[in-house]
Every structure is written in C-alpha cells, then in structure tokens.
Amino acid sequence: MQEKKAKHFIEHIIDEDLASGLDPSLLRFRFPPEPNGYLHIGHVKAICLNFELGKAYDAPVNLRFDDTNPEKEEQHFVDAIKDDIAWLGYAWHKECYASDYFDQLYAWAVQLINEGHAYVDAQTTDQIATQKGTPTTAGSASPYRNQDPKEALRLFEEMKAGQHQEGAYVLRFKGDMASPNMLLRDPILYRIMHKAHHRTKDAWCIYPMYDWAHGQSDYIEQISHSLCTLEFKPHRDLYDVFLNHLANSGLRPKQREFARLNLNYTITSKRKLQRLVVDGKVNGWDDPRMPTISGLRRRGYTPASLRKFAETVGIAKRENVIDASLSEFCV
C-alpha cells in the first residue's frame, strides 16, 4: 500500500480557507515569469508547486508573463518559457500578460490620483532614495506630496502622451514615510520609458512597476492564492495596501511565500546567467553547462527527473541550500 504523502504548509493554508467557507470553484493559481531570460532550475520548484496544486485541487493555473520592462523583455523569451513549461508536462489554463491590463492599471492609477492617494514627483532617483530614510529612521516627505490632484493628473496624462523625457517624472503612491517597511515609503507606480514593448509596440511610454502590476493582475484574473518566494514577503504589505483601495468586489487574492530553491555550486541569478550569455562564456541560454531548464534538457535531464527533484526538495517556510547531487540522483 502506497504511503500517503504529507501535505505542505501551503496546502494547509488552502484547506483552512476552504474550511472557512471559500468556494472550491474559486481556487485559481498562476505562475508569473518575467520574459527577460530563460527559466532555470530554481524556477522548477515554483512551476511544480503551482501546477501540482492545480491538479490536487482541480483548479485552473494561469501562465502570466510579467512584461512590464520593455528594455529587457523579448518575444523569444516568452516562447522559450512556454516551451520549457510544456516540456515539464504542464498545461496552463490561460496565457496572460501584465500588458493585457495596461489600460486598467492606468485607469486605477488615475483613480488613485483623483482620490488624493498618488502624485507626480519630479525629483531624481537619487533624491527619492535619500528622502526615503533608513530602516531605523523615518523618511521625509517629497516636496510634491501635497500636489493638487488636478495638477498630478495633468502631468500624468502628459507622461502617457510622451511629452516628457525618461527620468523627468514618476508617479508615486502616498504610503507611509515612517513605515518600518521601506517599500511602503511612497513607492513608485509608473516610470517613463521610451521603449517599444514586444507586445504593445509603441502604444505606451509609461510602464507600471512590478508591485503595481502584480497584485492588480492577480485581482483581475481572480487568483485565489498568489504564491511567491520569500524575498517577496516584504512586498505583501504593499500588495494588500493597493488591494485595499481597489478590490471592491469579487475574490481578493491572498499572497503567501515559500522558500526559494538554492542549489550549491549553482548560479541561479538570471542577471548573472545573462552575463555569461552576453559575454560569450557559454553558447546561449540552452548551453548544457547552464542551469536553465533548456540546458538541463540538453544535458540529459528528463521532465520526470526534474519534477521528482522538486517533490523531493519539498515546500518550506525557511531558506536552505540543497546539494546539487540531489538533482543528479533524481535522474
């Protein structure tokens, strides 16, 4: 008789929500990669977590690309990510993009401005950073913080129309400049970027920041449980603050965090992996020496071995380092 596998803490959270009255038909998960590089072995854990939860609870799982930075994103990466997930054996319910929601995100930003919760700041990046203070000292208010909403809206519309240079203005949310969570100290919602987007082309020259796009995209898609790695735990406060202003109907998403996959002797920083590719140290993102899913595939790993590896590592609340030999054992 096969031993029943113990549930991990995220499954317990979901079970508690169901026991508290959440309709099982409202369960929905998502995997939200950025299309600025190939997926690596660290992503396997997050992929398997979301898609296996979908199977366990008979719930849909969306594949949503967080495509808010046209400077680094390409259609080539979108195609590679889709190919890797399908190769692992998973099928997504809907293929979504943060760029699908640019109009709605802009409309919500206008709402915040009109309600006096956001303002346009003309300070430099360095000035804003200095003004935020330190984790132990409160920040100081921007000289633009008490800007008239009509003036803020005029400037924001000019930003959208392409009338200002990059770096001239940013849209900021009125948070709490004394909050111990530095992310709540008047975070930036939009910045000007005169860059063509791989999907929207030249339609936009202002782009939302991750924190503004992420939670609202979850809300639009009615994601029940938004699962992130532990480095996003400080972002949860901001996630909830924005939803407090906007989530007036429907299901409110719940963000929860789990430990990322750290493998010894293995680089899992996408920025560093990109450097290897750009500098010609490897023959592309799918070089067999790379820890990308495509590289592991060329090295001889199978979908079943990577899924087994993710299952063996498990889902934990605390960071730990896994020995690289475990992935080879699973092969």
Side-chain angles (χ1 to χ4, degrees):
M1 184 176 178
Q2 187 175 5
E3 184 177 349
K4 188 175 181 180
K5 187 175 68 171
K7 291 190 173 185
H8 52 71
F9 79 97
I10 290 179
E11 289 174 309
H12 285 303
I13 289 173
I14 296 171
D15 289 344
E16 289 169 5
D17 290 339
L18 292 172
S20 298
L22 176 63
D23 187 335
S25 68
L26 296 180
L27 287 178
R28 187 182 303 271
F29 308 101
R30 90 288 174 269
F31 175 63
E34 296 176 73
N36 59 4
Y38 278 41
L39 299 178
H40 54 66
I41 192 167
H43 292 112
V44 172
K45 181 176 179 179
I47 294 169
C48 291
L49 170 61
N50 282 285
F51 283 97
E52 291 298 333
L53 284 173
K55 290 181 180 179
Y57 291 93
D58 192 25
V61 183
N62 290 350
L63 171 59
R64 183 178 72 239
F65 292 94
D66 177 25
D67 56 344
T68 58
N69 187 356
E71 191 170 36
K72 298 181 179 180
E73 297 159 356
E74 300 175 18
Q75 182 62 41
H76 167 65
F77 294 137
V78 171
D79 296 338
I81 289 169
K82 289 163 60 177
D83 185 48
D84 284 342
I85 296 173
W87 177 76
L88 280 172
Y90 296 117
W92 48 91
H93 174 62
K94 288 183 179 179
E95 181 179 323
C96 307
Y97 297 81
S99 56
D100 291 338
Y101 316 129
F102 279 177
D103 286 320
Q104 179 62 74
L105 292 171
Y106 177 81
W108 276 331
V110 169
Q111 176 185 326
L112 290 182
I113 292 173
N114 287 331
E115 292 175 352
H117 298 305
Y119 61 97
V120 174
D121 200 325
Q123 296 181 103
T124 66
T125 302
D126 289 340
Q127 287 174 321
I128 291 175
T130 301
Q131 181 191 82
K132 285 197 172 186
T134 70
T136 55
T137 60
S140 55
S142 164
Y144 300 93
R145 200 173 198 267
N146 295 321
Q147 185 179 59
D148 185 280
K150 291 181 180 179
E151 173 67 4
L153 183 57
R154 180 184 69 80
L155 290 171
F156 190 47
E157 289 174 343
E158 289 179 359
M159 290 167 60
K160 179 178 182 291
Q163 296 178 23
H164 299 286
Q165 295 181 344
E166 291 186 10
Y169 295 106
V170 292
L171 181 70
R172 296 179 69 182
F173 174 75
K174 289 185 183 179
D176 178 0
M177 294 303 292
S179 172
N181 186 340
M182 297 289 287
L183 294 175
L184 290 176
R185 298 186 183 184
D186 288 17
I188 295 173
L189 302 180
Y190 275 90
R191 75 283 206 201
I192 301 170
M193 296 183 72
H194 293 287
K195 303 283 191 306
H197 189 277
H198 70 98
R199 294 187 74 243
T200 62
K201 307 306 178 189
D202 295 317
W204 295 85
C205 55
I206 57 171
Y207 291 93
M209 301 298 288
Y210 166 84
D211 282 311
W212 177 240
H214 181 67
Q216 280 53 259
S217 296
D218 284 342
Y219 178 55
I220 291 169
E221 294 174 24
Q222 288 289 275
I223 302 302
S224 61
H225 296 80
S226 180
L227 307 177
C228 308
T229 45
L230 279 177
E231 65 265 32
F232 291 99
K233 189 169 184 177
H235 294 252
R236 194 203 295 184
D237 291 339
L238 200 51
Y239 186 98
D240 289 336
V241 164
F242 290 151
L243 289 177
N244 286 343
H245 286 280
L246 305 171
N248 297 319
S249 62
L251 179 69
R252 177 172 172 144
K254 173 186 288 189
Q255 177 178 309
R256 291 296 179 265
E257 306 81 22
F258 61 96
R260 65 184 295 171
L261 175 60
N262 299 305
L263 211 58
N264 62 5
Y265 311 115
T266 305
I267 295 174
T268 55
S269 162
K270 199 183 290 184
R271 178 178 56 82
K272 293 179 180 178
L273 293 176
Q274 183 183 45
R275 184 67 182 269
L276 291 175
V277 175
V278 172
D279 290 351
K281 303 297 184 183
V282 294
N283 298 319
W285 287 90
D286 64 346
D287 188 302
R289 294 168 292 178
M290 291 280 274
T292 57
I293 295 175
S294 296
L296 294 170
R297 185 194 320 187
R298 291 187 62 196
R299 198 186 304 175
Y301 280 70
T302 63
S305 67
L306 289 177
R307 293 196 305 269
K308 180 64 177 177
F309 175 60
E311 179 186 347
T312 304
V313 169
I315 305 299
K317 294 183 180 181
R318 296 182 180 179
E319 297 282 12
N320 60 349
V321 179
I322 305 299
D323 195 291
S325 63
L326 178 61
S327 66
E328 297 173 1
F329 173 77
C330 289
V331 176

